[in-house]
Amino acid sequence: ANLGFARGYDAAVPQVDAGWVAFLNSDTRARPDWLTELHGTVAAHPACRAAASRIESWDGACVDFVGADTFFTGHAWQRALGEPVEGRRWMEEKLLFGCAAALLVHRRTFLERGGFDPDYFAFFEDVDLGWRMALAGQETWLSPGAVTHHKLHGSFGKGPDTRKRYLCERNALATVFKNYAEERAGVLYLAASALTFLRGWSTSALSRPEDRPYLTADAVAHLLALADVSRLEPALRERRTAVQAARRESIITRLCVRAAVLCS
């Protein structure tokens, strides 16, 4: 059975007899010193419970992951994505999350936080895990010397097809639902949901009265994402309770609020 990215790792990690586990996508190639560099980063930062690789394109010419900006809606975007590697230099820095295509994680921490959300299947499960870890005071650091080459979404393709759009929209909303503190969760979830609806609406001819009314597949994907979060609400409330019980820090200042960008 295809359990998806999240459930697959959730099933595998409990079977590993080690202090740390390394995640690698099947379309990646790690350099020989990859683990050595990751462990060096972990050793340098006592609160570190995950070390993120620097990920480059398969030929090493372009950036894939050197950190990411996380929006208040639960979406994220890689910094410098597709930019040339040549002439660039990166330093170790604390991140909200690391890309799970090439990530070293403290096994007990992964299990204590509940692993990846099993309902995510794929996309943004690493954002959610890193966010939950950060709230519990468990840090993620970029290890720029730990280089992995990636075929750039070799499993799902490069384009934003309808299924990918649906999973990204749904999972981002689920992340917002679970992880914000009580005093801001309601208004931010409402804003995130409204932007999901508007992004879908903007692709449909229903938003342009002069056109013949129809719903695009992309619009339907956004609507299904909203509906699916409602369906998952009982499980999300239970997971939210666990997240908030483990909360040690507030990280709202580390999230980039870019509503205008997300509406485009």
Side-chain angles (χ1 to χ4, degrees):
N2 182 4
L3 301 178
F5 189 97
R7 285 182 184 267
Y9 273 125
D10 285 349
V13 172
Q15 301 180 50
V16 177
D17 185 17
W20 293 78
V21 291
F23 300 155
L24 271 177
N25 275 15
S26 59
D27 57 352
T28 57
R29 180 183 78 250
R31 292 187 184 176
D33 60 350
W34 179 66
L35 279 175
T36 301
E37 292 286 343
L38 289 172
H39 277 286
T41 298
V42 168
H45 306 284
C48 179
R49 293 297 178 270
S53 304
R54 185 177 101 223
I55 306 177
E56 299 177 355
S57 59
W58 196 251
D59 60 5
C62 300
V63 173
D64 187 5
F65 184 87
V66 288
D69 293 313
T70 309
F71 307 104
F72 78 95
T73 58
H75 289 259
W77 185 255
Q78 297 105 302
R79 299 171 191 164
L81 179 66
E83 294 181 7
V85 170
E86 187 176 0
R88 304 289 294 272
R89 187 167 178 264
W90 290 275
M91 304 295 291
E92 289 185 352
E93 64 170 310
K94 188 162 62 172
L95 305 175
L96 179 63
F97 71 96
C99 177
L103 183 69
L104 185 70
V105 181
H106 187 247
R107 178 178 175 271
R108 189 175 69 184
T109 297
F110 182 85
L111 296 176
E112 286 175 350
R113 298 282 72 79
F116 293 124
D117 189 313
D119 287 321
Y120 277 37
F121 188 82
F123 298 109
F124 296 152
E125 68 290 307
D126 44 12
V127 180
D128 175 56
L129 175 65
W131 196 332
R132 287 185 277 123
M133 287 173 56
L135 290 175
Q138 297 158 333
E139 297 175 356
T140 298
W141 282 78
L142 176 67
S143 182
V147 179
T148 301
H149 298 277
H150 187 205
K151 285 192 175 179
L152 299 179
H153 313 295
S155 299
F156 275 86
K158 296 180 180 180
D161 62 38
T162 302
R163 178 167 171 76
K164 286 166 61 177
R165 180 74 69 190
Y166 154 71
L167 290 170
C168 287
E169 295 290 342
R170 183 197 66 177
N171 295 352
L173 288 174
T175 298
V176 169
F177 188 103
K178 292 181 296 181
N179 293 335
Y180 278 120
E182 192 65 35
E183 63 270 19
R184 59 179 66 95
V187 66
L188 290 174
Y189 178 72
L190 180 61
S193 298
L195 286 170
T196 294
F197 177 82
L198 289 173
R199 282 192 294 273
W201 177 259
S202 69
T203 71
S204 173
L206 292 172
S207 62
R208 299 183 293 275
E210 68 276 9
D211 295 334
R212 182 179 178 180
Y214 72 92
L215 281 175
T216 64
D218 203 37
V220 173
H222 286 74
L223 294 175
L224 285 176
L226 288 163
D228 220 19
V229 172
S230 295
R231 179 184 64 83
L232 295 171
E233 182 179 346
L236 289 173
R237 286 195 178 278
E238 183 177 339
R239 291 167 195 157
R240 173 178 170 77
T241 298
V243 171
Q244 301 307 316
R247 174 184 288 274
R248 298 293 180 271
E249 297 186 11
S250 176
I251 58 173
I252 187 66
T253 56
R254 295 168 58 188
L255 304 179
C256 297
V257 180
R258 298 188 191 172
V261 173
L262 293 172
C263 285
S264 63

